[in-house]
Amino acid sequence: MKPLFLRLHRWISLAFALPLLVVIATGLILSFEPIVQSGAIQPGSITVESLTAALAKADPDGKATGIVIRPWENSFGIGFGASAKSFDLATGAPVAPGGLSGLFGASRGIHERLLFDLGWLVTASTVAMLVIVALGVLMGLPRLRNTVSGWHKGTAWFLLPLVVLSPLTGLALALGVTFTTPLPRPAGPPVSLVQALAKVAEGHDLSGLNSIRSRAGTPMARLWEGGELKAYSVAATGLTPIPRNWPRLLHEGNGAGLWTGLVDVVTSLALLGLLGTGVTIWARRATRRPTRVRAAA
């Protein structure tokens, strides 16, 4: 069965090589986002008064339902995706998105949907990656040598838990698997964005605020606390912790700040290395002259 596993491993890898390259490369860029976010936080630098005043200037009609804080460039965004607008965190004046924010935003869109809104292809490529890893395991333990093939096999086996965990958690996110139960809808009328900011500020430092988004009409706040990005449901009565979404925490590197971010960087580099060495091995094999031709020569 090993020759069959090898052929399947090779041809599935080649069939999905291009989308996998794009997904892994953008994943590598996004691996640095939690490191940059958590590293740029300055405790006490954002107060509810200053943020509310800036938001009032940026959104005088009070129509905004979500906000994203970017401490590394002293700005915040209103809205999400391509329609998001950026404003200065101190004055509320419109500003152009910084290069780093643009890079992270573009990478996230490509990572999740590729270039043509092909989310299904991202999911299919993730499944293909898991199949490729499983076939590699079924081929058995390798002989480690200082060759391209040896490095390919050694990287795959020594970093096998990371190589499996990355696509597995990505697939869980794509399928909506969280291993948690939905929170009951808070009693009473929903709170506005300004009210949500005030509720968050009652027990938390707004400098650690990552974002507030509306989920089914209920604001959800994400804050950096102890190096972890934690989520809370915001209501008029206060904040309710949302159970950890472990697939998201592990996949995005938000579980322990710098350390999980670095693990994601290593994982992305390993996956890029496996893809590159795998294609190199195939290319060498494809361009090698047949044995009979070499013997005649």
Side-chain angles (χ1 to χ4, degrees):
M1 297 296 290
K2 185 174 179 179
L4 174 61
F5 294 151
L6 178 59
R7 283 194 292 270
L8 290 172
H9 181 88
R10 180 185 304 142
W11 290 110
I12 294 174
S13 300
L14 289 173
F16 287 92
L18 188 55
L20 282 176
L21 175 62
V22 174
V23 170
I24 296 170
T26 52
L28 174 60
I29 295 172
L30 292 172
S31 298
F32 290 95
E33 189 173 18
I35 300 175
V36 173
Q37 286 180 343
S38 57
I41 294 174
Q42 298 179 4
S45 60
I46 301 177
T47 64
V48 65
E49 293 81 13
S50 65
L51 185 55
T52 302
L55 181 60
K57 292 181 181 178
D59 181 42
D61 297 329
K63 295 181 178 180
T65 58
I67 186 173
V68 178
I69 307 296
R70 307 187 187 101
W72 62 87
E73 61 182 28
N74 242 0
S75 72
F76 65 93
I78 294 178
F80 303 92
S83 61
K85 297 180 180 179
S86 295
F87 302 89
D88 185 84
L89 199 54
T91 65
V95 294
L100 202 55
S101 296
L103 178 63
F104 288 148
S107 298
R108 185 172 300 281
I110 296 173
H111 186 75
E112 295 176 352
R113 298 179 297 277
L114 293 181
L115 297 175
F116 306 102
D117 200 18
L118 300 176
W120 64 268
L121 184 55
V122 175
T123 303
S125 301
T126 305
V127 174
M129 190 187 302
L130 289 169
V131 173
I132 292 165
V133 173
L135 289 169
V137 172
L138 290 174
M139 284 188 284
L141 292 171
R143 293 180 180 178
L144 300 182
R145 298 173 180 174
N146 190 21
T147 62
V148 174
S149 179
W151 278 99
H152 180 85
K153 297 172 183 177
T155 300
W157 277 97
F158 281 113
L159 297 179
L160 184 60
L162 300 181
V163 171
V164 171
L165 192 62
S166 179
L168 191 61
T169 52
L171 184 61
L173 288 178
L175 299 178
V177 178
T178 63
F179 301 107
T180 61
T181 56
L183 288 175
R185 188 178 179 85
V191 297
S192 66
L193 179 57
V194 173
Q195 291 171 326
L197 288 172
K199 285 296 177 182
V200 173
E202 287 179 2
H204 300 82
D205 183 359
L206 285 183
S207 303
L209 179 64
N210 172 265
S211 65
I212 294 179
R213 300 171 183 248
S214 179
R215 289 287 186 268
T218 301
M220 183 188 76
R222 302 182 78 191
L223 299 104
W224 286 100
E225 294 181 332
E228 179 182 341
L229 193 57
K230 297 182 179 180
Y232 295 88
S233 175
V234 186
T237 54
L239 273 62
T240 303
I242 296 176
R244 288 181 175 88
N245 182 345
W246 282 109
R248 181 173 296 280
L249 284 176
L250 294 173
H251 191 78
E252 295 184 350
N254 298 328
L258 174 65
W259 296 110
T260 48
L262 290 176
V263 169
D264 274 5
V265 171
V266 171
T267 303
S268 298
L269 289 174
L271 291 173
L272 280 177
L274 288 172
L275 184 61
T277 52
V279 172
T280 300
I281 294 168
W282 169 81
R284 288 182 175 181
R285 184 184 296 273
T287 56
R288 185 185 303 162
R289 290 186 297 175
T291 304
R292 284 179 291 180
V293 174
R294 294 202 307 270

